[in-house]
Amino acid sequence: KPVFLIEKTVIHEVRRFGKENNHTALRFMKEGGEVVEAISFFSTPLSWGVKVEAGESVSLLAYVEQSNFRGNREVRLRIVDVF
């Protein structure tokens, strides 16, 4: 899987999800207002060595994946690292 570097992008929203809130989703806003979601399983905003909260600028490594969770098909990013 190709891994992409997304440099210095501002986090629009951070949310925890999962039965035990043990996964993290970061949302980024594109120029046209479209939201791009990047997820990481079994992680918290403290899992990375940078401040991960709305309004902060971060760089990330991620790959593209397709999700079919609960019958909803979507393309999203799977986080490898945030820095």
Side-chain angles (χ1 to χ4, degrees), residues 2 14 17 20 24 28 42 45 83:
V14 178
F17 67 99
E20 299 174 12
T24 301
F28 304 94
F42 305 103
F83 53 97

Side-chain angles (χ1 to χ4, degrees), residues 31-73:
E31 285 185 18
E34 182 181 354
V35 174
V36 176
E37 185 166 77
I39 65 159
S40 180
F41 292 112
F42 305 103
S43 65
T44 72
L46 301 175
S47 296
W48 302 288
V50 295
K51 194 177 204 178
V52 176
E53 61 183 44
E56 291 295 322
S57 179
V58 297
S59 295
L60 64 142
L61 293 172
Y63 59 88
V64 178
E65 70 177 8
Q66 181 176 310
S67 169
N68 293 308
F69 184 67
R70 293 187 181 158
N72 296 321
R73 180 179 264 177

Side-chain angles (χ1 to χ4, degrees), residues 9-10 12-13 26-37 74-76:
T9 187
V10 177
H12 178 70
E13 178 185 356
L26 306 180
R27 290 187 174 174
F28 304 94
M29 186 81 67
K30 290 175 59 174
E31 285 185 18
E34 182 181 354
V35 174
V36 176
E37 185 166 77
E74 70 175 352
V75 175
R76 64 186 179 198

